[in-house]
Amino acid sequence: VKQAIAFIHQNYSRPMKRWEVAEAVGASENYFSRIFSQELGISPWDYLNRFRIAQAKKMIRRTQENIQFIADQVGFKDPKYFSRVFSKVTGCSPSEYKNQLIEN
């Protein structure tokens, strides 16, 4: 699982397939997913999305880049999907998050 996390952290900004991560740690796709979920309590893809959102939040705080650019930089090629995942993880949209930072 530690190897998988390291692989995800190094490659989060690009599209990733389940077989790639499983291959990187020397396991079958199903075994990898099962062990990862048992160890962390979330699926590898939930972990990947949460990590991507954490990186996006850092970028929103540190840069003036637009949301679409940030979404692309953290591995989301579809800005609408990025907004949905961001809202699910944080409870607010990327724009709302950015506006909260400006107000404070």
Side-chain angles (χ1 to χ4, degrees), residues 49-104:
N49 280 338
R50 289 180 189 187
F51 185 75
R52 285 175 167 169
I53 296 305
Q55 299 308 305
K57 287 170 65 178
K58 287 180 189 175
M59 286 187 74
I60 291 170
R61 285 193 301 269
R62 295 179 182 161
T63 72
Q64 296 300 315
E65 297 292 349
N66 67 45
I67 299 300
Q68 188 167 356
F69 176 83
I70 291 171
D72 187 64
Q73 293 297 298
V74 299
F76 288 94
K77 301 309 171 203
D78 179 353
K80 289 180 182 176
Y81 180 62
F82 169 71
S83 289
R84 280 198 309 273
V85 173
F86 193 100
S87 295
K88 182 180 174 189
V89 171
T90 66
C92 64
S93 73
S95 298
E96 290 169 338
Y97 182 80
K98 191 173 192 171
N99 289 338
Q100 288 172 4
L101 294 173
I102 293 168
E103 292 170 5
N104 293 333

Side-chain angles (χ1 to χ4, degrees), residues 2-65:
K2 287 180 184 177
Q3 287 178 313
I5 289 171
F7 183 85
I8 288 169
H9 287 199
Q10 292 169 352
N11 296 283
Y12 74 91
S13 63
R14 64 173 184 78
M16 204 179 308
K17 303 284 187 210
R18 185 171 75 146
W19 67 264
E20 283 183 277
V21 184
E23 187 177 273
V25 299
S28 72
E29 291 180 47
N30 291 335
Y31 180 74
F32 158 68
S33 293
R34 188 170 59 251
I35 294 301
F36 194 99
S37 295
Q38 284 175 356
E39 288 284 320
L40 297 181
I42 60 173
S43 76
W45 305 121
D46 282 344
Y47 182 89
L48 172 61
N49 280 338
R50 289 180 189 187
F51 185 75
R52 285 175 167 169
I53 296 305
Q55 299 308 305
K57 287 170 65 178
K58 287 180 189 175
M59 286 187 74
I60 291 170
R61 285 193 301 269
R62 295 179 182 161
T63 72
Q64 296 300 315
E65 297 292 349

